[in-house]
Amino acid sequence: MTSTRRMNQKRFPVKLFVTILIATAIDLLASIQISRWAYGWLPIPASSAAPYVDDLFSLEVGIGAFIFIGCVGFIIWSVLFNRAEKYDESDGLPIEGNTKLEIIWTVIPFFVVMALAFYSIHVNETLATLGPKQKYDVAINQAPEAVATLDVTREVGPIEVISRQWSWEFIYPSGVRSSELHLPLNLRANFLLSSKDVIHSFYIPAFRLKQDIIPGSVISYSLTPTKEGRFRLRDAMFSGAYFSQNQTDVIVESEENYDAWLTRTAKRPMVKGLSPGTTLYEKRLKEGDRGWATVAPAPPPLVNDPGNPEAPHDS
């Protein structure tokens, strides 16, 4: 009797194994589908760097979904099929730690994290070749061209990107100035990013680009737009009271249209550029200058093309 009982206890749990296998397969299929949906959660991809960032995001979402669904599924299964009786208030069995299980749930996350780390490093190295950047510490009143080594592979630029509280100004090699950034399609553009006051952030979600701009420095940065359209540029760094309004558009168009815009805009007189913070500050003064402490916005930059803030953007 004793030997028979021991043999029954050691019998391989086939039903449990099959159940776990089916549940894992369902979890895997659901996670793969969610990782595919994740591409749709992001803005329109509009630069050569976007697909690499999107693939990394999709992979991370898929792994997170697999772990989340597995944990929640196990909890639901336990509640439905292994719950205590209604009036059972006794303590659970005094089970001690399982060394094998502890090793498994330590080793598997380790390899998952290491795999994500190596893949992330690979993506970062790829992005470094698609959009190299270099920071140069200079005096604020010194010309950026005198200190910055430009991207030798650039096809457009350098375009000076000047950030202020709270407006953007773009200066092209021909001398044209604008409040909206114009770029030609499928050509590598180089920027010289600088700030006239505090820290700002050059953030274009459709390009998967976010670069902080540090006062007293010039940052050389390159990218290649791959989709025509009007995309949003935002100041993603808290830079004062009206930083959330420090937005403008990036217009990607064909090379012919870009060249025609430069030629046409160069003939226009200088006018005040976009400065949403100025309008809000004037409204504040009219209402008695009440509320949080803030500084007066910098005067709107003089530009050839102030742009159209009412135009709808794609992303």
Side-chain angles (χ1 to χ4, degrees):
M1 293 295 293
T2 304
S3 60
T4 303
R5 188 180 297 114
R6 289 179 180 176
M7 288 178 62
N8 292 335
Q9 290 176 351
K10 293 181 180 181
R11 184 176 299 173
F12 185 76
V14 177
K15 291 184 179 180
L16 178 61
F17 177 76
V18 172
T19 302
I20 294 176
L21 195 62
I22 294 175
T24 302
I26 295 174
D27 188 1
L28 182 61
L29 292 175
S31 302
I32 292 174
Q33 183 58 48
I34 292 174
S35 69
R36 291 173 179 170
W37 289 340
Y39 287 100
W41 303 344
L42 299 172
I44 297 172
S47 77
S48 58
Y52 299 96
V53 177
D54 292 358
D55 288 344
L56 177 59
F57 177 74
S58 175
L59 176 63
E60 292 175 342
V61 168
I63 293 175
F66 182 83
I67 296 173
F68 177 79
I69 293 173
C71 292
V72 172
F74 180 77
I75 293 173
I76 294 175
W77 179 77
S78 299
V79 170
L80 293 178
F81 302 107
N82 288 272
R83 61 188 306 165
E85 296 295 333
K86 184 175 181 180
Y87 298 105
D88 184 1
E89 298 182 358
S90 61
D91 295 331
L93 296 175
I95 301 174
E96 297 183 0
N98 187 317
T99 304
K100 292 182 180 179
L101 187 59
E102 291 177 357
I103 292 175
I104 291 173
W105 70 38
T106 300
V107 171
I108 292 179
F110 173 79
F111 281 106
V112 171
V113 171
M114 288 297 102
L116 280 175
F118 281 112
Y119 185 62
S120 300
I121 292 172
H122 171 70
V123 171
N124 284 330
E125 291 175 346
T126 302
L127 297 182
T129 62
L130 297 174
K133 63 181 177 180
Q134 181 64 46
K135 177 177 176 292
Y136 302 88
D137 294 318
V138 295
I140 294 179
N141 61 354
Q142 190 171 356
E145 298 92 333
V147 296
T149 302
L150 307 178
D151 180 9
V152 295
T153 62
R154 76 186 186 279
E155 298 169 287
V156 178
I159 301 174
E160 291 186 47
V161 178
I162 301 175
S163 55
R164 298 182 178 89
Q165 294 175 302
W166 288 270
S167 64
W168 295 97
E169 180 183 4
F170 308 100
I171 307 176
Y172 303 82
S174 62
V176 169
R177 296 169 180 256
S178 68
S179 290
E180 295 177 336
L181 177 59
H182 287 251
L183 296 174
L185 181 68
N186 292 326
L187 293 181
R188 189 181 184 118
N190 179 245
F191 306 104
L192 295 179
L193 309 175
S194 62
S195 170
K196 292 297 184 182
D197 36 54
V198 297
I199 299 177
H200 297 274
S201 186
F202 186 67
Y203 178 42
I204 308 174
F207 291 174
R208 310 299 188 261
L209 162 65
K210 179 183 180 296
Q211 176 58 53
D212 292 345
I213 307 175
I214 312 300
S217 67
V218 173
I219 298 175
S220 175
Y221 196 96
S222 299
L223 62 85
T224 304
T226 57
K227 185 178 181 63
E228 290 190 42
R230 181 181 286 265
F231 309 104
R232 203 63 172 161
L233 185 157
R234 309 175 189 274
D235 186 355
M237 178 65 69
F238 178 76
S239 57
Y242 305 112
F243 87 101
S244 63
Q245 298 296 316
N246 193 17
Q247 304 183 26
T248 188
D249 287 340
V250 180
I251 301 170
V252 180
E253 52 200 344
S254 66
E255 186 177 0
E256 295 76 14
N257 290 341
Y258 172 76
D259 292 336
W261 174 81
L262 282 177
T263 302
R264 184 173 61 252
T265 306
K267 301 175 183 178
R268 295 180 180 177
M270 302 288 277
V271 295
K272 288 184 178 180
L274 298 179
S275 182
T278 299
T279 304
L280 292 174
Y281 186 72
E282 291 174 352
K283 179 181 178 181
R284 171 196 174 107
L285 295 180
K286 289 180 181 179
E287 295 176 351
D289 195 15
R290 297 186 300 270
W292 59 86
T294 184
V295 299
L302 295 177
V303 298
N304 302 98
D305 185 357
N308 180 13
E310 303 301 325
H313 54 83
D314 299 301
S315 175

